[in-house]
Amino acid sequence: ERERERERRMKISEKLEECTKNGQVYFSFEYFPPKTEEGVNNLFPRMKKMVSYGPQFCDITWGAGGSTADLTQDIATRMQKEIGVETMMHLTCTNMMPEKVTVALEKCKEAGIDNILALRGDPPKGQEKWEAVEGGFECALDLVKFIREKHGDFFGIGVAGYPEAHPDAICDDPEQFAKNYQGELEYLKKKIDAGGQMIITQLFYDCGTFLKFVKDCRNIGINCPILPGIMPIQSYGGFMRMTGFCKTKVPQEILNTLEPIKDNPEAVKKYGIHLATQMCKTLIEAGTPGLHMYSLNQDKAVLGILGGLGLISIEEPAKNPTPAIEEKKEEEKAKA
């Protein structure tokens, strides 16, 4: 009976579609596993505060090369159970044999986590090129197929989308790039056809690029929710590293604004909030249904942006968006 009830739980993608039907702009927060125990302990109170503003879901990343596998699983479980927020756990193919993936998915089932973001993942530290492990998965598509094959529709599955194409496909020759971009779109369609139900994009700083990407997806029959990945600039060094690593196009005007303030961390943070708020306004006005915020485990910037958009009021947090989980906790307390 309990299995049946869990099978019936709405997946995150369905919740997002529901929001859109009701004309509600939604938002979500992404976190990464901190490197130290102290970092982990500090993350939870911050997360609790952020979740009180009503994100539709939160997700937690899986470190390069599966280096944070146990910690990711542990944090995801606590997010779902203690924080009481609908949680999506990232799962990557890097260094992952099917057996390891099976174990991870079983642990998710036990913890009541039924949403997964299926990714290829970055190469392990110190490795330039991505390589599949012997007998492992070649790409995210394999992972999506595997989850569907072994678990039917128990899990809601999200996949990654790349508005500027995957970093590996980005090149200087315009003709070659156009081919690569087309190939990437077709591959994304395969991930959706195999069972992916929503798309979260790589960061970008040019709204036109994202809006074109959405149109291109719709034109080839990808109809699921597409969430823009919004990464506020939090520090100059971090921003330059990240955009370099992802080969992100940064409009000249952003670089020009940053140049004179790059040694003033406060000014950079302030500009980061201002820029992301303007970007999100542009996206929402163009019909983007929701925003996925790369929080970098910090609350100030993302809450500042959502406040600036009028999506939350900073004075008083919204009610927990998943009261069902809270009620269940109360019931369990009563039983104990």
Side-chain angles (χ1 to χ4, degrees):
E1 189 52 37
R2 232 176 100 200
E3 270 304 296
R4 287 242 308 276
E5 173 204 339
R6 292 235 314 255
E7 288 285 351
R8 274 201 305 272
R9 273 189 56 182
M10 263 176 106
K11 302 295 180 269
I12 290 171
S13 59
E14 294 169 325
K15 287 186 174 181
L16 302 184
E17 282 166 352
E18 192 87 342
C19 287
T20 302
K21 237 191 263 163
N22 300 332
Q24 177 195 351
V25 176
Y26 51 79
F27 56 89
S28 46
F29 300 134
E30 180 162 308
Y31 301 96
F32 65 84
K35 286 193 169 63
T36 63
E37 204 171 318
E38 188 189 3
V40 174
N41 293 336
N42 290 340
L43 180 60
F44 284 98
R46 190 171 294 155
M47 212 183 254
K48 205 166 178 58
K49 173 186 167 182
M50 292 170 77
V51 166
S52 69
Y53 287 97
Q56 285 302 320
F57 71 96
C58 291
D59 60 333
I60 177 88
T61 65
W62 186 271
S67 52
T68 65
D70 295 337
L71 183 55
T72 291
Q73 200 108 41
D74 196 40
I75 292 174
T77 301
R78 286 182 66 184
M79 282 165 72
Q80 187 77 33
K81 290 188 160 165
E82 286 172 37
I83 306 280
V85 67
E86 192 68 79
T87 301
M88 175 180 267
M89 190 181 87
H90 291 211
L91 198 52
T92 75
C93 302
T94 313
N95 290 351
M96 291 289 275
M97 296 297 283
E99 300 80 61
K100 266 190 175 174
V101 171
T102 297
V103 170
L105 292 172
E106 282 309 323
K107 282 186 183 163
C108 283
K109 272 189 164 175
E110 280 162 33
I113 296 164
D114 48 16
N115 290 278
I116 298 289
L117 190 69
L119 304 157
R120 189 197 73 176
D122 299 322
K125 259 201 172 39
Q127 226 176 282
E128 271 297 292
K129 266 185 88 60
W130 194 89
E131 285 161 10
V133 282
E134 190 72 35
F137 300 97
E138 289 290 332
C139 58
L141 178 59
D142 288 350
L143 187 54
V144 173
K145 286 178 175 169
F146 178 84
I147 297 171
R148 282 285 171 252
E149 192 185 309
K150 301 287 184 217
H151 296 277
D153 58 5
F154 180 87
F155 289 102
I157 301 178
V159 297
Y162 297 88
E164 302 176 32
H166 190 281
D168 293 352
I170 294 172
C171 60
D172 292 331
D173 173 5
E175 216 169 296
Q176 186 56 47
F177 175 71
K179 264 198 200 121
N180 292 358
Y181 177 79
Q182 212 37 53
E184 290 273 309
L185 280 176
E186 283 156 24
Y187 173 66
L188 180 57
K189 174 91 163 76
K190 282 184 186 155
K191 289 196 284 189
I192 299 300
D193 291 345
Q197 292 155 308
M198 56 186 280
I199 295 165
I200 296 178
T201 78
Q202 175 78 291
L203 64 140
F204 58 89
Y205 291 95
D206 179 344
C207 292
T209 302
F210 171 79
L211 296 170
K212 174 186 181 296
F213 170 73
V214 172
K215 220 162 100 186
D216 293 341
C217 286
R218 300 297 182 231
N219 284 341
I220 61 165
I222 295 173
N223 300 315
C224 65
I226 300 176
L227 281 65
I230 305 294
M231 188 175 282
I233 302 172
Q234 307 229 24
S235 77
Y236 181 76
F239 168 72
M240 295 310 275
R241 261 196 314 278
M242 197 62 185
T243 50
F245 176 70
C246 300
K247 302 187 184 170
T248 314
K249 257 199 324 227
V250 182
Q252 193 55 45
E253 151 197 8
I254 295 177
L255 296 172
N256 295 348
T257 309
L258 281 170
E259 188 51 42
I261 58 169
K262 64 180 182 192
D263 298 322
N264 179 343
E266 278 316 299
V268 170
K269 280 196 172 88
K270 214 171 145 180
Y271 172 61
I273 293 175
H274 167 77
L275 174 68
T277 306
Q278 293 315 111
M279 282 175 62
C280 293
K281 273 194 178 130
T282 303
L283 295 174
I284 292 167
E285 279 163 16
T288 305
L291 308 163
H292 185 66
M293 315 297 278
Y294 292 121
S295 77
L296 300 178
N297 293 359
Q298 302 296 319
D299 57 315
K300 276 203 181 69
V302 294
L303 294 179
I305 293 157
L306 294 173
L309 293 166
L311 291 178
I312 63 173
S313 92
I314 303 282
E315 301 82 54
E316 49 139 19
K319 198 168 161 295
N320 188 321
T322 43
I325 294 176
E326 289 300 317
E327 278 160 27
K328 204 160 165 207
K329 273 200 237 160
E330 291 304 314
E331 268 172 45
E332 276 164 16
K333 261 193 220 149
K335 276 185 205 154

